[in-house]
């Protein structure tokens, strides 16, 4: 699996939520815009690690709505799920779990505990 494999299912999911979706804008993997809402910036990675968290922190200069997108079966997340969610909540980031085999996306704005299934 490659990071680019995560793009299409996520793009389709966001478009079904009436977002306009663009890839690779201002070094962001995905930027999604809907009406007058702030842009949603999503960084895609195969594992949840310090690099993607630092990218997210850097993207806060572009938007206050930051998500990290990883495969739903990312071992780095499964092993330390509780602590990872706690850290994401502290940073104010959302989490998107992408299952490319089922073309399914699960997102959580960790800060608000809002969970959306598709």
């Amino acid at each position: 699996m490659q990071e680019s494999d995560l793009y299409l299912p996520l793009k389709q999911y966001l478009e079904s939520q009436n977002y306009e979706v663009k890839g690779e804008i201002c070094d962001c993997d995905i930027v999604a815009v809907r009406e007058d809402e702030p842009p949603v910036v999503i960084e895609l990675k195969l594992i949840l690690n310090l690099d993607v968290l630092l990218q997210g922190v850097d993207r806060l200069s572009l938007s206050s709505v930051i998500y990290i997108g990883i495969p739903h079966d990312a071992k780095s997340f499964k092993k330390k799920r509780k602590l990872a969610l706690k850290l994401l909540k502290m940073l104010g980031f959302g989490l998107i779990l992408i299952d490319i085999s089922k073309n399914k996306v699960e997102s959580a704005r960790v800060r608000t505990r809002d969970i959306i299934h598709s």
Side-chain angles (χ1 to χ4, degrees):
M1 179 186 309
Q2 298 176 348
E3 281 180 29
S4 59
D5 296 333
L6 302 173
Y7 177 78
L8 188 57
L10 182 54
K11 181 179 191 288
Q12 292 170 341
Y13 170 75
L14 291 169
E15 287 176 341
S16 76
Q17 303 293 314
N18 298 317
Y19 282 96
E20 182 181 342
V21 180
K22 301 290 181 189
E24 296 302 326
I25 303 292
C26 297
D27 293 326
C28 301
D29 290 334
I30 294 178
V31 176
V33 180
R34 180 170 60 185
E35 298 176 9
D36 293 334
E37 298 176 13
V40 177
V41 175
I42 304 161
E43 288 300 329
L44 299 173
K45 288 290 181 261
L46 296 178
I47 60 174
L48 184 61
N49 61 22
L50 181 59
D51 289 337
V52 73
L53 295 174
L54 292 174
Q55 277 184 314
V57 169
D58 189 48
R59 302 306 181 252
L60 286 169
S61 64
L62 302 172
S63 178
S64 61
V65 185
I66 308 296
Y67 281 80
I68 307 299
I70 59 173
H72 81 289
D73 59 353
K75 291 179 180 151
S76 61
F77 178 68
K78 283 185 173 186
K79 288 182 181 180
K80 300 197 179 215
R81 182 180 181 97
K82 189 173 182 178
L83 284 174
L85 289 172
K86 183 177 181 177
L87 178 58
L88 290 169
K89 181 179 178 181
M90 290 172 67
L91 292 169
F93 293 171
L95 177 67
I96 297 176
L97 301 175
I98 304 163
D99 185 343
I100 62 170
S101 67
K102 295 180 181 176
N103 204 29
K104 181 180 177 185
V105 174
E106 177 183 324
S107 70
R109 185 73 179 159
V110 179
R111 176 172 58 201
T112 62
R113 299 209 189 279
D114 223 4
I115 299 180
I116 305 163
H117 297 279
S118 120

